[in-house]
Amino acid sequence: MELDIRPLHPLFCAEVLGVDLREPPSAELAAAIDAAMDRFAVVVVRAQQIDDDQQMAFATALGPLEDTPAVVDAHRHRLKHREMVDISNLETDGSILAADDRRRMFNLGNRLWHSDSSFKSTPAKYSMLHARVIPPEGGETEFADMRAAWDALPADMRSRIDQLVCDHSLIYSRALLGFDAFTPAEREQFAPVPQRLVRRHPGSGRRSIYLSSHIGTIHGWPRPEALSLIRDLTEHATQREFVYRHTWREHDLVIWDNRCTMHRARPFDDLRYKRDMRRLTLRDSAPTLAQAA
Ligand code: OGA
Ligand code: MN
Protein backbone atom coordinates (compact mmCIF):
# COMPACT_ATOMS: atom_id res chain seq x y z
CA MET A 1 0.00 0.00 0.00
CA GLU A 2 1.34 3.43 -1.02
CA LEU A 3 0.80 6.26 1.45
CA ASP A 4 0.60 9.90 0.38
CA ILE A 5 3.59 11.25 2.35
CA ARG A 6 4.86 14.85 2.61
CA PRO A 7 8.17 15.41 4.41
CA LEU A 8 8.04 18.13 7.09
CA HIS A 9 11.79 18.51 7.67
CA PRO A 10 14.98 17.89 5.66
CA LEU A 11 16.04 14.97 7.91
CA PHE A 12 12.95 13.31 9.36
CA CYS A 13 9.24 13.83 10.14
CA ALA A 14 6.49 13.50 7.56
CA GLU A 15 2.79 14.10 7.24
CA VAL A 16 0.63 11.26 5.98
CA LEU A 17 -2.46 12.29 3.99
CA GLY A 18 -5.66 10.50 3.07
CA VAL A 19 -5.87 8.28 6.15
CA ASP A 20 -9.00 7.88 8.28
CA LEU A 21 -8.37 6.26 11.64
CA ARG A 22 -12.00 6.09 12.76
CA GLU A 23 -11.98 2.49 11.51
CA PRO A 24 -9.27 0.12 12.79
CA PRO A 25 -6.40 0.06 10.26
CA SER A 26 -5.99 -2.88 7.89
CA ALA A 27 -2.81 -4.97 8.10
CA GLU A 28 -1.65 -3.19 4.90
CA LEU A 29 -2.15 0.26 6.41
CA ALA A 30 -0.39 -0.76 9.65
CA ALA A 31 2.57 -2.08 7.61
CA ALA A 32 2.69 1.12 5.54
CA ILE A 33 2.75 3.24 8.70
CA ASP A 34 5.59 1.08 10.08
CA ALA A 35 7.52 1.60 6.85
CA ALA A 36 6.98 5.38 7.06
CA MET A 37 8.11 5.30 10.71
CA ASP A 38 11.29 3.42 9.79
CA ARG A 39 12.13 6.16 7.32
CA PHE A 40 10.82 9.34 9.01
CA ALA A 41 10.72 8.43 12.76
CA VAL A 42 7.91 10.96 13.34
CA VAL A 43 4.62 10.76 11.43
CA VAL A 44 1.86 13.35 11.65
CA VAL A 45 -1.73 12.48 10.77
CA ARG A 46 -3.95 15.57 10.77
CA ALA A 47 -7.69 15.92 11.31
CA GLN A 48 -8.46 12.58 13.00
CA GLN A 49 -11.76 12.90 14.86
CA ILE A 50 -11.24 9.84 17.03
CA ASP A 51 -12.31 9.03 20.57
CA ASP A 52 -10.46 7.01 23.20
CA ASP A 53 -11.77 3.65 21.92
CA GLN A 54 -10.76 4.44 18.34
CA GLN A 55 -7.32 5.60 19.48
CA MET A 56 -6.97 2.31 21.39
CA ALA A 57 -8.02 0.27 18.33
CA PHE A 58 -5.51 2.07 16.13
CA ALA A 59 -2.62 1.70 18.60
CA THR A 60 -3.21 -1.98 19.35
CA ALA A 61 -3.20 -2.72 15.62
CA LEU A 62 0.43 -1.47 15.54
CA GLY A 63 1.70 -3.57 18.43
CA PRO A 64 1.51 -4.43 22.14
CA LEU A 65 0.75 -1.47 24.42
CA GLU A 66 2.51 -0.40 27.57
CA ASP A 67 -0.01 -0.97 30.31
CA THR A 68 1.41 1.04 33.18
CA PRO A 69 1.63 4.82 32.75
CA ALA A 70 4.48 5.91 35.02
CA VAL A 71 2.98 8.89 36.79
CA VAL A 72 2.53 10.15 40.31
CA ASP A 73 -0.94 9.91 41.90
CA ALA A 74 -1.94 7.20 39.42
CA HIS A 75 -5.14 6.53 41.40
CA ARG A 76 -6.46 9.90 40.18
CA HIS A 77 -6.56 8.75 36.54
CA ARG A 78 -8.96 10.93 34.50
CA LEU A 79 -9.32 8.70 31.44
CA LYS A 80 -11.35 5.59 30.74
CA HIS A 81 -8.47 3.35 29.67
CA ARG A 82 -5.71 2.58 32.13
CA GLU A 83 -3.16 2.38 29.27
CA MET A 84 -3.91 5.90 28.08
CA VAL A 85 -1.44 8.47 29.40
CA ASP A 86 -3.08 11.75 30.37
CA ILE A 87 -0.89 14.47 28.84
CA SER A 88 -3.06 17.33 30.08
CA ASN A 89 -3.18 20.03 32.70
CA LEU A 90 -6.57 18.80 33.90
CA GLU A 91 -8.07 17.54 37.14
CA THR A 92 -10.27 14.39 37.09
CA ASP A 93 -13.35 16.67 36.89
CA GLY A 94 -11.94 18.48 33.83
CA SER A 95 -10.93 21.70 35.60
CA ILE A 96 -7.40 23.10 35.35
CA LEU A 97 -4.88 21.70 37.87
CA ALA A 98 -3.97 24.02 40.74
CA ALA A 99 -0.62 25.81 40.52
CA ASP A 100 0.91 23.75 43.33
CA ASP A 101 -0.56 20.39 42.35
CA ARG A 102 2.02 17.61 42.55
CA ARG A 103 0.91 16.21 39.18
CA ARG A 104 1.54 19.60 37.57
CA MET A 105 5.05 19.72 39.04
CA PHE A 106 5.74 16.19 37.88
CA ASN A 107 4.37 16.82 34.37
CA LEU A 108 6.71 19.80 33.92
CA GLY A 109 9.37 17.12 33.40
CA ASN A 110 7.97 16.70 29.85
CA ARG A 111 9.62 20.01 29.00
CA LEU A 112 13.02 18.33 29.23
CA TRP A 113 14.33 16.45 26.19
CA HIS A 114 13.48 12.79 26.70
CA SER A 115 12.58 9.48 25.18
CA ASP A 116 9.38 7.98 26.60
CA SER A 117 9.80 5.22 29.18
CA SER A 118 13.58 5.04 28.82
CA PHE A 119 13.37 4.55 32.61
CA LYS A 120 11.56 1.21 32.13
CA SER A 121 13.68 -1.89 31.64
CA THR A 122 11.81 -2.60 28.40
CA PRO A 123 11.32 0.93 27.13
CA ALA A 124 8.85 2.42 24.63
CA LYS A 125 8.69 1.86 20.89
CA TYR A 126 6.12 4.27 19.40
CA SER A 127 4.18 6.95 21.23
CA MET A 128 0.90 8.10 19.68
CA LEU A 129 -0.30 11.45 20.97
CA HIS A 130 -3.72 12.79 19.99
CA ALA A 131 -4.70 16.43 20.48
CA ARG A 132 -8.21 16.89 21.86
CA VAL A 133 -7.96 20.45 23.17
CA ILE A 134 -5.07 22.79 22.46
CA PRO A 135 -4.25 26.20 23.95
CA PRO A 136 -4.42 29.33 21.74
CA GLU A 137 -0.65 29.70 21.82
CA GLY A 138 2.39 27.74 22.97
CA GLY A 139 2.30 24.07 23.86
CA GLU A 140 4.19 22.95 20.77
CA THR A 141 6.16 19.69 20.83
CA GLU A 142 9.72 19.48 19.54
CA PHE A 143 11.37 16.36 18.17
CA ALA A 144 15.07 15.68 17.63
CA ASP A 145 16.53 13.05 15.28
CA MET A 146 19.00 10.88 17.21
CA ARG A 147 20.07 9.05 14.03
CA ALA A 148 21.20 12.29 12.42
CA ALA A 149 22.87 13.23 15.72
CA TRP A 150 24.83 9.96 15.66
CA ASP A 151 25.74 10.37 11.98
CA ALA A 152 27.16 13.83 12.74
CA LEU A 153 29.43 12.70 15.61
CA PRO A 154 33.17 12.65 14.98
CA ALA A 155 34.65 9.14 14.74
CA ASP A 156 36.60 9.41 18.01
CA MET A 157 33.45 10.33 19.92
CA ARG A 158 31.56 7.47 18.30
CA SER A 159 34.11 4.93 19.44
CA ARG A 160 34.26 6.53 22.90
CA ILE A 161 30.52 6.13 23.53
CA ASP A 162 29.75 3.08 21.44
CA GLN A 163 29.75 0.51 24.28
CA LEU A 164 28.52 2.69 27.14
CA VAL A 165 25.57 1.78 29.35
CA CYS A 166 23.57 4.45 31.22
CA ASP A 167 21.17 4.24 34.15
CA HIS A 168 17.81 5.91 33.57
CA SER A 169 15.20 6.90 36.16
CA LEU A 170 12.29 9.31 36.49
CA ILE A 171 13.90 10.35 39.76
CA TYR A 172 16.94 11.69 37.85
CA SER A 173 14.92 13.71 35.32
CA ARG A 174 12.66 15.23 37.97
CA ALA A 175 15.68 16.13 40.10
CA LEU A 176 16.87 18.34 37.21
CA LEU A 177 13.83 20.55 37.88
CA GLY A 178 14.13 20.33 41.64
CA PHE A 179 11.23 17.88 42.03
CA ASP A 180 11.96 15.23 44.63
CA ALA A 181 8.57 14.70 46.26
CA PHE A 182 8.44 10.97 45.59
CA THR A 183 6.91 8.57 48.09
CA PRO A 184 8.96 5.53 49.19
CA ALA A 185 6.76 3.32 46.98
CA GLU A 186 7.39 5.59 43.96
CA ARG A 187 11.14 5.54 44.64
CA GLU A 188 11.00 1.78 44.47
CA GLN A 189 8.82 1.82 41.34
CA PHE A 190 11.16 4.29 39.62
CA ALA A 191 14.47 2.63 40.54
CA PRO A 192 17.14 3.13 37.82
CA VAL A 193 17.38 0.74 34.85
CA PRO A 194 20.33 0.21 32.47
CA GLN A 195 20.13 1.11 28.77
CA ARG A 196 22.65 1.16 25.95
CA LEU A 197 23.76 4.66 24.94
CA VAL A 198 24.09 3.70 21.28
CA ARG A 199 21.41 1.64 19.57
CA ARG A 200 20.75 0.17 16.18
CA HIS A 201 17.26 0.55 14.77
CA PRO A 202 15.97 -2.82 13.60
CA GLY A 203 13.75 -1.36 10.85
CA SER A 204 16.26 0.98 9.20
CA GLY A 205 19.59 -0.45 10.35
CA ARG A 206 20.58 3.07 11.39
CA ARG A 207 22.42 3.76 14.63
CA SER A 208 21.32 6.45 17.06
CA ILE A 209 22.24 7.99 20.39
CA TYR A 210 19.79 6.88 23.06
CA LEU A 211 19.67 10.05 25.12
CA SER A 212 17.04 11.12 27.64
CA SER A 213 16.88 13.49 30.59
CA HIS A 214 16.14 10.34 32.61
CA ILE A 215 19.85 9.45 32.43
CA GLY A 216 21.56 9.76 35.82
CA THR A 217 24.90 8.06 35.28
CA ILE A 218 27.11 5.96 33.01
CA HIS A 219 28.18 2.55 34.30
CA GLY A 220 31.77 2.61 35.55
CA TRP A 221 32.11 6.40 35.36
CA PRO A 222 32.19 9.03 38.13
CA ARG A 223 28.82 10.81 37.99
CA PRO A 224 30.06 14.35 37.24
CA GLU A 225 32.13 13.05 34.33
CA ALA A 226 29.18 11.00 33.09
CA LEU A 227 26.70 13.84 33.34
CA SER A 228 28.97 16.35 31.65
CA LEU A 229 29.39 13.99 28.69
CA ILE A 230 25.61 13.39 28.58
CA ARG A 231 25.05 17.14 28.65
CA ASP A 232 27.47 17.70 25.76
CA LEU A 233 25.88 14.92 23.73
CA THR A 234 22.42 16.32 24.42
CA GLU A 235 23.49 19.78 23.28
CA HIS A 236 24.95 18.27 20.14
CA ALA A 237 21.86 16.16 19.45
CA THR A 238 19.36 18.97 19.93
CA GLN A 239 20.98 21.56 17.67
CA ARG A 240 18.43 23.32 15.52
CA GLU A 241 19.25 21.37 12.37
CA PHE A 242 18.18 18.11 14.05
CA VAL A 243 14.91 19.51 15.46
CA TYR A 244 11.36 19.66 14.10
CA ARG A 245 8.83 21.77 16.00
CA HIS A 246 5.23 20.58 15.78
CA THR A 247 2.56 23.26 16.14
CA TRP A 248 -0.56 21.36 17.08
CA ARG A 249 -3.99 21.59 15.51
CA GLU A 250 -6.95 19.99 17.20
CA HIS A 251 -7.34 16.30 16.19
CA ASP A 252 -3.72 15.88 15.12
CA LEU A 253 -2.30 12.46 15.85
CA VAL A 254 1.49 12.37 16.04
CA ILE A 255 3.37 9.09 16.17
CA TRP A 256 7.03 9.07 17.14
CA ASP A 257 9.65 6.37 17.48
CA ASN A 258 11.24 6.62 20.92
CA ARG A 259 14.07 4.30 19.88
CA CYS A 260 15.63 6.96 17.67
CA THR A 261 14.16 10.37 18.62
CA MET A 262 13.84 12.62 21.65
CA HIS A 263 11.04 15.11 22.23
CA ARG A 264 10.00 17.84 24.64
CA ALA A 265 6.92 19.94 25.36
CA ARG A 266 7.11 23.72 25.03
CA PRO A 267 5.47 26.02 27.60
CA PHE A 268 2.01 27.57 27.44
CA ASP A 269 -0.18 29.42 29.91
CA ASP A 270 -1.28 26.26 31.68
CA LEU A 271 -3.04 27.99 34.58
CA ARG A 272 -5.33 29.79 32.14
CA TYR A 273 -5.87 27.47 29.14
CA LYS A 274 -6.70 23.80 28.81
CA ARG A 275 -4.49 21.43 26.88
CA ASP A 276 -5.87 17.90 26.60
CA MET A 277 -3.64 15.39 24.83
CA ARG A 278 -3.89 11.63 25.18
CA ARG A 279 -1.08 9.19 24.55
CA LEU A 280 -0.85 5.48 23.91
CA THR A 281 2.54 3.87 23.89
CA LEU A 282 3.85 0.68 22.31
CA ARG A 283 6.26 -1.47 24.24
CA ASP A 284 9.63 -2.23 22.68
CA SER A 285 10.61 -5.88 22.19
CA ALA A 286 13.21 -6.16 24.99
CA PRO A 287 15.58 -4.16 27.24
CA THR A 288 18.15 -2.39 25.04
CA LEU A 289 20.97 -4.53 26.47
CA ALA A 290 19.16 -7.60 25.16
CA GLN A 291 18.87 -6.09 21.67
CA ALA A 292 21.47 -6.31 18.91
CA ALA A 293 24.04 -3.50 19.19
C1 OGA B 1 4.53 12.85 25.78
C2 OGA B 1 5.20 14.16 25.85
C3 OGA B 1 5.06 16.43 25.06
C4 OGA B 1 3.97 17.43 24.91
O1 OGA B 1 3.34 12.81 25.44
O2 OGA B 1 5.19 11.83 26.03
O3 OGA B 1 6.32 14.25 26.28
O4 OGA B 1 4.18 18.40 24.15
N1 OGA B 1 4.49 15.18 25.37
O5 OGA B 1 2.94 17.28 25.55
MN1 MN C 1 7.17 12.18 26.42
Side-chain angles (χ1 to χ4, degrees):
M1 172 175 189
E2 280 290 317
L3 290 176
D4 185 0
I5 297 180
R6 310 279 156 90
L8 293 168
H9 184 278
L11 295 170
F12 70 135
C13 300
E15 182 176 350
V16 166
L17 295 130
V19 169
D20 180 351
L21 302 178
R22 284 175 301 182
E23 294 301 322
S26 63
E28 293 73 34
L29 177 57
I33 290 173
D34 272 331
M37 290 296 293
D38 286 346
R39 161 82 180 78
F40 292 101
V42 180
V43 163
V44 174
V45 197
R46 301 261 192 201
Q48 299 300 309
Q49 304 241 12
I50 52 172
D51 61 18
D52 290 358
D53 291 339
Q54 289 163 318
Q55 192 177 345
M56 284 287 287
F58 170 68
T60 31
L62 294 190
L65 295 183
E66 284 194 338
D67 59 359
T68 50
V71 291
V72 295
D73 302 323
H75 59 285
R76 288 156 104 180
H77 191 58
R78 184 174 66 96
L79 307 176
K80 168 175 162 193
H81 298 279
R82 193 179 46 130
E83 300 90 341
M84 197 166 262
V85 187
D86 187 6
I87 306 290
S88 79
N89 58 333
L90 304 178
E91 200 27 286
T92 45
D93 67 1
S95 61
I96 290 177
L97 285 175
D100 62 351
D101 195 287
R102 190 164 165 268
R103 288 163 291 173
R104 174 169 184 260
M105 297 300 115
F106 179 81
N107 291 341
L108 285 169
N110 279 342
R111 293 194 192 168
L112 304 174
W113 284 109
H114 66 281
S115 174
D116 288 334
S117 302
S118 71
F119 51 82
K120 292 184 182 175
S121 60
T122 293
K125 183 184 178 189
Y126 301 163
S127 291
M128 285 152 277
L129 186 62
H130 189 237
R132 305 290 174 89
V133 177
I134 58 168
E137 60 182 339
E140 300 89 354
T141 307
E142 290 182 340
F143 297 91
D145 186 345
M146 296 298 106
R147 308 164 307 177
W150 167 263
D151 291 345
L153 280 182
D156 59 334
M157 182 57 90
R158 286 192 198 174
S159 54
R160 194 163 163 231
I161 70 170
D162 198 23
Q163 297 301 318
L164 297 179
V165 176
C166 298
D167 271 345
H168 295 234
S169 168
L170 270 170
I171 295 168
Y172 295 140
S173 54
R174 271 42 187 180
L176 295 172
L177 295 181
F179 179 98
D180 56 5
F182 291 104
T183 64
E186 287 165 347
R187 279 183 196 284
E188 212 166 290
Q189 186 192 346
F190 302 144
V193 302
Q195 305 289 4
R196 280 184 202 287
L197 182 56
V198 179
R199 306 182 65 171
R200 187 180 294 279
H201 190 279
S204 65
R206 294 184 67 181
R207 304 188 80 197
S208 63
I209 322 176
Y210 192 41
L211 289 169
S212 192
S213 59
H214 305 307
I215 293 176
T217 194
I218 299 173
H219 287 196
W221 286 42
R223 274 192 90 200
E225 193 180 357
L227 291 180
S228 62
L229 174 66
I230 295 301
R231 188 173 285 228
D232 281 349
L233 287 171
T234 303
E235 277 183 19
H236 162 78
T238 56
Q239 293 174 84
R240 183 160 292 192
E241 60 186 296
F242 304 136
V243 173
Y244 163 73
R245 168 179 279 221
H246 187 69
T247 300
W248 291 91
R249 293 184 211 148
E250 235 153 59
H251 311 305
D252 283 355
L253 179 78
V254 178
I255 311 169
W256 63 86
D257 190 335
N258 290 291
R259 299 170 300 178
C260 59
T261 61
M262 281 203 290
H263 61 281
R264 64 171 180 175
R266 303 314 296 144
F268 70 104
D269 189 347
D270 72 319
L271 294 176
R272 180 149 170 222
Y273 298 110
K274 294 185 180 184
R275 183 176 189 261
D276 184 350
M277 321 273 277
R278 301 177 186 198
R279 193 187 91 202
L280 287 170
T281 320
L282 299 191
R283 238 188 304 122
D284 200 356
S285 55
T288 54
L289 284 168
Q291 296 177 26

